[in-house]
Amino acid sequence: MSDHPTPPDHADPDSGERRILTPGTPNPRREFLRSAALFTATAGALGGGLELLTRRPGGPGSAEAQVAAFTRPARPLGPYDTSEAVTPYAQATSYNNFYEFGLDKSDPARMAASLKTRPWTVRIDGEVRKPMTVDIDTLQGWFPLEDRVYRMRCVEGWSMVMPWLGFPLAALIRRMEPTSKAKYVQFTALLDPKQFPGQRQPVLKWPYVEGLRLDEALHPLAFMAVGLDGRVLPGQNGAPLRLAVPWKYGFKSIKSVVRITLTEKQPQTTWALAAPQEYGFYANVNPAVPHPRWSQATERRIGELGRRKTLPFNGYAEQVAGLYKGMDLRRFF
Amino acid sequence: MGGLLPAAVLIADALSGQLGANPIQRATLQTGLLTLALLVLSLACTPLRLLTGWTWPARIRKALGLLAFAYGVLHFLIYLLDHSFDLTLMTEDVLKRPFITAGFTALLLLVPLALTSTPRAVKRLGFQRWTRLHQLAYVAVSLGALHYYWGVKKDHTQPLIYAAVIAALFAVRLLRRSPARRAASARTR
């Protein structure tokens, strides 16, 4: 095709032909060549310009994307594991929403090297008998690490299956010894624009804050992950410590946690502050409550072309529906 | 012809897996952006000619408009593919969600413009009526920008840049028109 955005040298006449032309006289051949060159130039400019405009650099780590689907080595499935096919590691680590790194889904993987996860401390405070600041390695050494294969449903309408490695949040909370006033758990992510270039833009109110009701946090499904696919958690997936609450939309599962505070009042969470009509505090996966701009009835599992039906509480209704008895989940979305 | 290059790249990307983990979403976004950008470019032709005196913008205006329409249709088809060509779902989306309503209306408004893009249509409609009909492009591009604005989850920088460019292009037209009008009304007095 002649509309390739390279200098239009092939539209130039070859020197033999050029010698025949007498300068000054209108020549149909020269006219033709002139317009051909013009055509190629505009086509190149237009095509190239639009291409630059609409194509985001990055994408999946192209080398990694070629790696065959990674499956976890066989092990007995626990009571909360899904047996659905695990999302290939390359995709689970290259398609991420992590606005601290940037808005595009390819930004986190590209920028994650700027995040330094050691040394890393976690502050535990609020309505607890033992407030403390603890090193991440000490903290994760308190608990035997478990595998959990969880579905993850993003509020944007896509989903993955994530093989987390970590420990139940309940174990950590019990160790903190909540006082009788503790009703909620507030999580705070790292605030450091040097490591999180996305925080230089006031896209969201930084630092990112999320929260759970105490009974939700004590549910055995609520999980703190420090690893993925048997490896140390990559930066783009929320290293070194992140929450995984699989019955809620993905944005509830805060990444790169530096502080866990037990509170009496419901925390003001980042997305609920940013767009309260779109993202509520509870954010339970609910196919019956559409997002204002799209239906939540279906989702695309990453790696599949079609859509599948979204299940109430992301398929964990049997385990967690009881937490919301008597609540109007259309109001408390 | 050159404007079809992004489509070719899109197809090549899709075939080689370069569209990432969620190729349909990416293709939707890219075709949508192309539609809006081409519409804006087609609307930039007249102001550009007025400001610079160049004639080539006027000559490529129609091609840009038709390309915009083609990418708009492609954008819509990918949306339909995303919803497994379920027309009930689509109707529901169009009726219930202003974000989709705006985009769909913008595309519908472009249909008569594309159909009357031939010199014969200009002759049949008469230049005045044809021009008035093609002013629908202003509505379509505004709805397109609104659709983009509503479609973005956070950071509205890009949609606002489009909106600003569109506003500037409208402003040039208005400023150009008002002296002419003043002159015209002065003459009738």
Side-chain angles (χ1 to χ4, degrees), chain A residues 5 28 62 77 86 98 117 121 126 138 140-141 145 149 175 239 260 290 296 308 315 321 328 330 332:
Chain A
S62 37
L77 290 177
V86 164
F98 197 170
T117 58
T121 56
T138 312
Q140 74 185 51
L145 296 186
V149 185
R175 207 187 155 101
I260 301 172
Q296 293 289 26
R308 49 169 76 204
D328 178 2
R330 287 182 177 273
F332 298 99

Side-chain angles (χ1 to χ4, degrees), chain B residues 180-189:
Chain B
R181 269 203 186 152
R182 253 179 266 131
S185 56
R187 245 177 278 129
T188 52
R189 224 178 280 146

Side-chain angles (χ1 to χ4, degrees), chain A residues 91-320:
Chain A
Q91 298 192 336
T93 54
S94 65
Y95 189 77
N96 311 99
N97 278 321
F98 197 170
Y99 281 15
E100 280 88 337
F101 283 126
L103 300 177
D104 195 67
K105 287 183 179 54
S106 61
D107 289 336
R110 205 175 32 239
M111 309 301 291
S114 64
L115 177 66
K116 298 279 166 276
T117 58
R118 295 293 187 284
W120 186 282
T121 56
V122 180
R123 173 90 195 132
I124 297 169
D125 59 5
E127 298 296 339
V128 289
R129 285 198 188 89
K130 291 182 179 165
M132 65 178 86
T133 299
V134 58
D135 177 74
I136 179 69
D137 293 310
T138 312
L139 188 154
Q140 74 185 51
W142 289 342
F143 315 100
L145 296 186
E146 305 172 22
D147 286 293
R148 293 281 179 94
V149 185
Y150 278 171
R151 285 181 288 272
M152 203 219 42
R153 168 64 152 82
C154 177
V155 71
E156 296 168 346
W158 53 268
S159 61
M160 290 186 180
V161 176
M162 305 294 280
W164 300 120
L165 185 73
F167 52 88
L169 173 60
L172 177 60
I173 290 177
R174 294 217 172 87
R175 207 187 155 101
M176 293 156 74
E177 295 184 21
T179 70
S180 59
K181 280 190 187 163
K183 299 278 183 315
Y184 293 90
V185 186
Q186 174 181 320
F187 302 85
T188 311
L190 177 70
L191 173 68
D192 184 0
K194 278 199 207 84
Q195 300 187 59
F196 281 146
Q199 288 180 338
R200 287 172 207 156
Q201 263 94 50
V203 183
L204 291 170
K205 190 170 175 259
W206 309 114
Y208 196 97
V209 171
E210 257 309 336
L212 296 171
R213 220 168 53 193
L214 187 58
D215 59 335
E216 295 179 314
L218 290 173
H219 192 279
L221 271 172
F223 198 65
M224 296 305 294
V226 296
L228 177 66
D229 243 340
R231 321 174 203 193
V232 171
L233 197 62
Q236 61 266 41
N237 294 85
L241 179 70
R242 69 164 292 163
L243 180 65
V245 272
W247 70 95
K248 292 175 180 283
Y249 291 121
F251 69 87
K252 286 297 284 185
S253 292
I254 184 172
K255 297 170 170 132
S256 303
V257 171
V258 292
R259 188 173 173 194
I260 301 172
T261 313
L262 274 81
T263 64
E264 205 178 345
K265 285 197 180 120
Q266 180 176 308
Q268 293 215 301
T269 55
T270 299
W271 275 106
L273 274 173
Q277 69 288 358
E278 299 187 5
Y279 314 105
F281 174 79
Y282 284 94
N284 289 315
V285 174
N286 192 343
V289 176
H291 182 277
R293 286 173 282 146
W294 55 82
S295 159
Q296 293 289 26
T298 62
E299 68 198 52
R300 172 170 303 105
R301 180 65 50 83
I302 292 303
E304 294 175 357
L305 215 57
R307 286 176 164 268
R308 49 169 76 204
K309 275 207 160 88
T310 288
L311 301 171
F313 299 106
N314 201 20
Y316 299 94
E318 205 183 307
Q319 291 94 334
V320 299

Side-chain angles (χ1 to χ4, degrees), chain B residues 161-176:
Chain B
I161 291 173
Y162 279 92
V165 172
I166 293 166
L169 293 177
F170 285 173
V172 172
R173 285 182 159 79
L174 281 175
L175 288 175
R176 258 281 306 181

Side-chain angles (χ1 to χ4, degrees), chain A residues 19 51 57 66 85 132 182 257 267 322:
Chain A
R19 247 176 273 129
E51 182 56 21
Q66 310 300 325
M132 65 178 86
V257 171

Side-chain angles (χ1 to χ4, degrees), chain B residues 152-168:
Chain B
V152 168
K153 190 161 86 172
K154 203 58 200 152
D155 190 33
H156 289 111
T157 320
Q158 280 214 37
L160 287 176
I161 291 173
Y162 279 92
V165 172
I166 293 166

